[in-house]
Amino acid sequence: MKRIQLLDKEFVLSIPASDIKRAIWDMAMKINRDLHDKNPLMVCILNGSFMFSADLMKLIEFPCEISFVKLSSYHGMESTGEVKQLIGLNENVEGRTVVLLEDIVDTGVTIDNLVRQLKTQNPADVKVATLLFKPEACTRDIKLDYVGLEIPNDFIVGYGLDYDGYGRNLPDIYTVVK
């Protein structure tokens, strides 16, 4: 599909599934090289990261754990600027390497907030792996350890990303038509 309709918005194909898979494979190879001896706790940030995290974890070649947190900072097509924690992390991270698995970093508010919270629990290290990064939108000074693809500051859906709950199931990523 080159164009799709979700609710009141039209979207056009911007990143095909093959490009997404290649970016995840490249990232997994770097993580395998860097963290194979660190016993990391991978933390999937729900809801958007579920597809990315699942596909990435299939390529990790060493034993590790995965856990989940659920955060919310969007309403419609806009970031609210406020991060709400809906489901928190139950695992003890003290002395562990934690890898946050994020679908997209745009303003950086969500990931900055979560990294700060985790660092109060004395982990050995906190790393961030994001499938997508919007450098033009980022307003925080954050360190991203693994970035799949840099993209323009457009609103997108698909591959876990949604517009008011719709579009997460799409294998490709689409950009809103303005």
Side-chain angles (χ1 to χ4, degrees):
M1 290 184 282
K2 298 279 187 204
R3 290 176 96 81
I4 59 166
Q5 182 81 30
L6 294 175
L7 303 173
D8 61 335
K9 303 279 185 225
E10 187 175 359
F11 296 83
V12 63
L13 178 66
S14 58
I15 306 173
S18 59
D19 290 357
I20 296 167
K21 287 180 183 185
R22 185 172 28 260
I24 293 171
W25 189 87
D26 289 344
M27 184 184 298
M29 295 307 103
K30 291 175 187 165
I31 291 171
N32 284 329
R33 180 194 66 223
D34 296 349
L35 304 178
H36 70 279
D37 60 347
K38 302 289 187 198
N39 186 30
L41 173 63
M42 313 297 251
V43 179
C44 171
I45 303 171
L46 298 173
N47 284 340
S49 297
F50 77 99
M51 288 179 79
F52 163 57
S53 296
D55 286 345
L56 179 71
M57 290 299 291
K58 292 173 195 172
L59 299 170
I60 298 301
E61 299 171 343
F62 53 82
C64 64
E65 294 177 87
I66 186 166
S67 190
F68 304 87
V69 294
K70 186 171 183 177
L71 307 174
S72 175
S73 64
Y74 261 76
H75 180 73
M77 291 176 43
E78 300 292 324
S79 174
T80 62
E82 179 184 334
V83 179
K84 295 179 187 172
Q85 188 170 84
L86 307 175
I87 299 173
L89 189 63
N90 293 322
E91 288 77 10
N92 180 0
V93 300
E94 187 171 349
R96 300 267 322 256
T97 296
V98 178
V99 182
L100 299 174
L101 304 177
E102 180 66 295
D103 55 349
I104 187 166
V105 173
D106 44 26
T107 64
V109 169
T110 300
I111 207 69
D112 184 48
N113 183 290
L114 190 51
V115 167
R116 288 175 192 270
Q117 284 181 20
L118 281 170
K119 285 188 175 180
T120 67
Q121 299 176 38
N122 300 315
D125 199 3
V126 177
K127 296 193 174 290
V128 177
T130 183
L131 176 61
L132 304 167
F133 177 49
K134 293 181 179 180
E136 297 168 30
C138 194
T139 61
R140 300 291 175 102
D141 184 21
I142 52 176
K143 181 180 182 231
L144 302 176
D145 301 278
Y146 306 99
V147 176
L149 299 163
E150 287 191 8
I151 61 170
N153 189 19
D154 296 321
F155 186 78
I156 58 174
V157 298
Y159 198 75
L161 298 148
D162 74 303
Y163 171 50
D164 278 348
Y166 291 89
R168 291 190 195 278
N169 61 308
L170 301 167
D172 305 298
I173 293 176
Y174 295 81
T175 302
V176 70
V177 176
K178 296 178 181 174

